[in-house]
Amino acid sequence: MTLLTFRFAPSPNGELHLGHAYSALLNQKLARAAGGRLLLRVEDIDTTRCTPEFEAGIFRDLEWLGLDWEEPVRRQSDHFTDYQSVLDRLIREELVYPAFMSRGDIRAFIADSEKRGRDWPRDPDGVPLYPATDKTLPMTERKRRIAEGAPFAWRLDVEAAMARVGKDLSWSEFSDETLSSTRAVEARPQDWGDVIVARREIPTSYHLAVVVDDALQGISHVVRGQDLFSATGVQRLLQEILGLKQPRYLHHRLILGPDGRKLSKSLGDTGLAALRQAGASPDDVRRLVGL
Ligand code: GLU
């Protein structure tokens, strides 16, 4: 029997807060109960926002909390070549295209379209979908722009990818923290439009790095916050076109702030370091998050 494998995958672009503590401790609890493995992954592809200081803070907070993870820790920024080779495959298979529009271009394009009375479609996070303009650019024009040094990201051609898969997609979601039963959830990658799979300066994006790493690390159980529930549809599509094994998922409740809103990384008193400095113990944190 293969060991069940869980992971906690924070991004060092801010300090950990109670929401991270809940996610980390829940992964640990479930891994222990299953006699399985717990891996830690540092998701630092955004080299402008992630810093060594935040990373050091994450290790400090997790050690203090009593999390025990296996070594070595996978740091995504050490593995850009892994993502590049997967990206190259998607380029060869014509499932991605170069997207040249800047944020400003996108805004102007959408404003113009909305002026003519059309509501522009938005993704589940409320962000406008990427216009189809670049997808239909003739190859000669793409090549010309690239040769001229125009900056671009690689976007997934979701329609082409879904046609390639040729069947409805779903994922297996645990009903609750006992992990005793699952239900099938319909994956709707199309709701996100043509998502970025490689940003302008780096050969990957959050979605691509997550599916590649979950597969490379043999993750069987992805336990993470409810805020990533519908993004799982995009990740299922990527897994399918890349022929990667699919983990099962549990999207857990979010820890909310006193104002009833999701905790952010500019935290105030829900940051773990601030709680520790104010004299809280790891057990206090467990109680605060209901574990
Ligand atoms: N790195 C992501 C975050 O900190 C989590 C990604 C995941 O669990 O799939 O929000």
Side-chain angles (χ1 to χ4, degrees):
M1 203 189 86
T2 47
L3 278 184
L4 304 192
T5 306
F6 295 76
R7 52 51 157 200
F8 177 58
S11 294
N13 56 7
E15 291 176 37
L16 296 188
H17 53 56
L18 284 174
H20 297 107
Y22 177 60
S23 205
L25 292 169
L26 179 61
N27 270 286
Q28 169 162 278
K29 179 176 150 183
L30 296 173
R32 280 188 181 162
R37 307 171 64 199
L38 176 62
L39 306 183
L40 177 64
R41 185 163 77 221
V42 175
E43 301 212 322
D44 62 345
I45 58 166
D46 189 338
T47 46
T48 54
R49 292 174 61 220
C50 295
T51 67
E53 291 73 30
F54 283 136
E55 187 185 300
I58 288 178
F59 286 118
R60 216 166 27 240
D61 289 346
L62 294 179
E63 268 159 24
W64 172 72
L65 265 186
L67 203 77
D68 47 359
W69 59 87
E70 281 181 31
E71 299 287 344
V73 170
R74 185 174 170 91
R75 186 189 288 115
Q76 291 187 321
S77 62
D78 291 338
H79 297 280
F80 282 152
T81 50
D82 287 342
Y83 312 128
Q84 182 72 58
S85 61
V86 175
L87 173 65
D88 288 343
R89 209 171 114 195
L90 293 174
I91 296 171
R92 273 198 310 277
E93 295 186 13
E94 294 180 13
L95 292 173
V96 292
Y97 62 86
F100 298 97
M101 290 171 94
S102 65
R103 277 195 204 151
D105 294 337
I106 301 172
R107 253 196 314 275
F109 186 94
I110 291 168
D112 189 54
S113 157
E114 291 194 326
K115 243 192 315 218
R116 282 180 271 120
R118 271 213 298 150
D119 272 347
W120 193 263
R122 285 165 194 267
D123 73 20
D125 285 345
V127 177
L129 302 195
Y130 193 70
T133 327
D134 287 334
K135 184 167 126 170
T136 51
L137 270 191
M139 194 53 99
T140 47
E141 177 61 13
R142 276 185 196 165
K143 287 199 171 135
R144 192 187 64 76
R145 290 193 193 183
I146 293 173
E148 276 177 358
F152 64 94
W154 289 100
R155 285 188 180 260
L156 183 68
D157 182 339
V158 173
E159 210 183 302
M162 288 181 64
R164 180 76 58 90
V165 171
K167 61 172 187 198
D168 290 341
L169 283 179
S170 61
W171 79 83
S172 195
E173 176 81 20
F174 288 105
S175 309
D176 59 40
E177 294 174 11
T178 64
L179 305 186
S180 48
S181 62
T182 58
R183 66 189 166 98
V185 178
E186 183 195 357
R188 295 189 49 83
Q190 65 275 27
D191 291 351
W192 295 88
D194 290 348
V195 289
I196 293 184
V197 290
R199 300 196 204 163
R200 286 182 172 196
E201 331 70 37
I202 50 172
T204 188
S205 66
Y206 157 65
H207 287 303
L208 190 67
V210 164
V211 297
V212 167
D213 285 354
D214 283 340
L216 276 177
Q217 296 189 289
I219 304 299
S220 60
H221 289 57
V222 172
V223 175
R224 61 184 179 190
Q226 184 66 28
D227 49 340
L228 289 168
F229 184 84
S230 57
T232 308
V234 175
Q235 296 177 15
R236 280 291 299 118
L237 178 59
L238 285 171
Q239 287 161 356
E240 208 65 22
I241 57 177
L242 294 169
L244 303 175
K245 215 166 144 190
Q246 47 170 315
R248 287 186 283 174
Y249 292 86
L250 172 65
H251 290 93
H252 59 68
R253 64 183 165 86
L254 298 178
I255 305 291
L256 302 177
D259 55 359
R261 299 187 25 194
K262 205 180 124 179
L263 298 179
S264 77
K265 292 204 168 170
S266 48
L267 342 135
D269 54 4
T270 53
L272 296 187
L275 284 165
R276 182 167 68 244
Q277 272 144 32
S281 70
D283 277 343
D284 294 330
V285 171
R286 286 173 195 275
R287 262 192 304 278
L288 281 169
V289 300
L291 273 176

